[in-house]
Amino acid sequence: ITPTAITIITLSIIMGTILTMSSSNWLMAWIGLELNMLAILPIISKPKTTRASEATIKYFLTQAIASAMMLLSSTTNAWQTGNWDILELKNKFSTTIMTLSLMMKMGAAPVHFWLPEVLQGTTLQTALLITTWQKLAPVTLMYMISNNIQPALLMSAGLLSMVVGGLGGINQTQLRKTMAYSSINNLGWTIMIMALSPNLAIMNITIYIIMTTPVFLMMKNTSMKTLQNLTTTWTTSTAMTLSIALLMLSTSGLPPFTGFMPKMLALNELITQKLTTLATLAIMTSLISLLFYLRIAYLIMMLTPPMTI
């Protein structure tokens, strides 16, 4: 890809997201998402491998279906209410379809199937882009319509994402797939708390993005792709491998780390709203995901040769 093409693609991705996040009209938000999606396709397909081509097709199809659902939802709402305003999504059918569409865009369960496959088929930089920047626009739209979405839908989808993210990550040896399930798990927390405290949901996704970015960058720097690579990179780049272990523990939500704060606040909010059962289930599912985060930390800390002074 030429420098000119890279500049155009980068600007399109940034402009698409900003357009969606700053628009008050469903059509403009849709145009922003389409611009963003079309710009990222050449980036995903840049490695000339069959896996990259497959990942591009999967990404395109899922995003296109989600966009179609988004148009269906907004046009139905406009037909019923005569209003294209994002904040005026009052029709229950429209709200449900829109929520599913946005969940498909960001890769939350039960419409998460594309995310691990796409991440595995592309490079680490593109995987970073998909798990961080590409989540901003759909999460912002969900934040804008959160008052109109039925809380039961958000909470059940959030809990399902947490379970899927936890169980899916346990059996993985590929780090990119593990990070994909980690993303699904964290989106579960974001979506679940979106029903009660949208501001807390935004804080949760922001902290997740801040913690995930360095993990991907360090994996890229050390050419890590599998769990086995983790045990061999210690000798060449000790500080980076140790940082990855600590960031993984932070993402899992262990108390001394930053990742614990949004989870604690989310659980506090659930208990305040008398949703103790949901809070208990959320804790149980976070224990499942803790298993694979701890395994990564264990592989780094325990299976590496002792340092020679």
Side-chain angles (χ1 to χ4, degrees), residues 196 264-276 279:
L196 302 175
M264 182 192 69
L265 291 171
L267 291 171
N268 179 49
E269 188 68 35
L270 287 171
I271 293 162
T272 308
Q273 302 283 351
K274 304 282 189 290
L275 293 163
T276 321

Side-chain angles (χ1 to χ4, degrees), residues 177-188:
K177 277 198 173 177
T178 307
M179 293 305 288
Y181 283 108
S182 159
S183 171
I184 294 165
N185 178 56
N186 270 280
L187 275 174

Side-chain angles (χ1 to χ4, degrees), residues 71-303:
L71 270 185
L72 169 69
S73 165
S74 51
T75 45
T76 309
N77 186 67
W79 180 38
Q80 294 283 324
T81 63
N83 204 329
W84 283 98
D85 199 310
I86 290 177
L87 299 173
E88 297 296 320
L89 197 74
K90 296 284 192 276
N91 188 343
K92 263 192 178 170
F93 169 78
S94 294
T95 314
T96 309
I97 296 291
M98 185 62 75
T99 309
L100 281 170
S101 157
L102 294 173
M103 280 160 54
M104 197 170 187
K105 284 259 180 214
M106 61 177 94
V111 277
H112 65 282
F113 301 100
W114 63 272
L115 189 62
E117 298 296 321
V118 170
L119 289 204
Q120 189 54 36
T122 187
T123 61
L124 281 165
Q125 300 104 298
T126 316
L128 167 64
L129 193 64
I130 293 168
T131 48
T132 55
W133 183 263
Q134 294 299 95
K135 302 249 188 293
L136 295 179
V139 167
T140 307
L141 286 176
M142 191 177 269
Y143 175 83
M144 288 168 84
I145 62 166
S146 58
N147 288 338
N148 300 325
I149 307 173
Q150 291 160 296
L153 175 65
L154 284 177
M155 286 177 189
S156 49
L159 200 61
L160 183 62
S161 292
M162 286 151 73
V163 172
V164 166
L167 293 174
I170 287 174
N171 205 25
Q172 298 302 328
T173 53
Q174 296 287 336
L175 283 174
R176 275 170 294 183
K177 277 198 173 177
T178 307
M179 293 305 288
Y181 283 108
S182 159
S183 171
I184 294 165
N185 178 56
N186 270 280
L187 275 174
W189 282 91
T190 304
I191 291 169
M192 182 181 70
I193 206 63
M194 188 75 81
L196 302 175
S197 172
N199 291 340
L200 192 51
I202 294 296
M203 189 190 81
N204 185 69
I205 195 79
T206 307
I207 288 177
Y208 167 72
I209 287 170
I210 291 167
M211 289 188 300
T212 306
T213 307
V215 172
F216 271 111
L217 292 174
M218 286 188 280
M219 281 179 185
K220 159 89 173 58
N221 209 335
T222 51
S223 302
M224 276 187 213
K225 285 189 171 62
T226 62
L227 284 178
Q228 198 175 359
N229 295 150
L230 281 172
T231 56
T232 54
T233 48
W234 179 269
T235 46
T236 52
S237 45
T238 314
M240 274 195 190
T241 322
L242 189 62
S243 300
I244 288 176
L246 293 174
L247 280 162
M248 284 293 179
L249 291 176
S250 181
T251 316
S252 71
L254 273 180
F257 301 103
T258 316
F260 172 66
M261 184 178 63
K263 287 186 176 170
M264 182 192 69
L265 291 171
L267 291 171
N268 179 49
E269 188 68 35
L270 287 171
I271 293 162
T272 308
Q273 302 283 351
K274 304 282 189 290
L275 293 163
T276 321
T277 315
L278 190 62
T280 311
L281 287 169
I283 294 168
M284 300 299 274
T285 55
S286 73
L287 282 176
I288 303 170
S289 61
L290 181 65
L291 190 64
F292 71 81
Y293 289 118
L294 275 177
R295 185 177 61 172
I296 292 171
Y298 173 82
L299 281 173
I300 292 172
M301 304 289 199
M302 300 300 169
L303 299 185

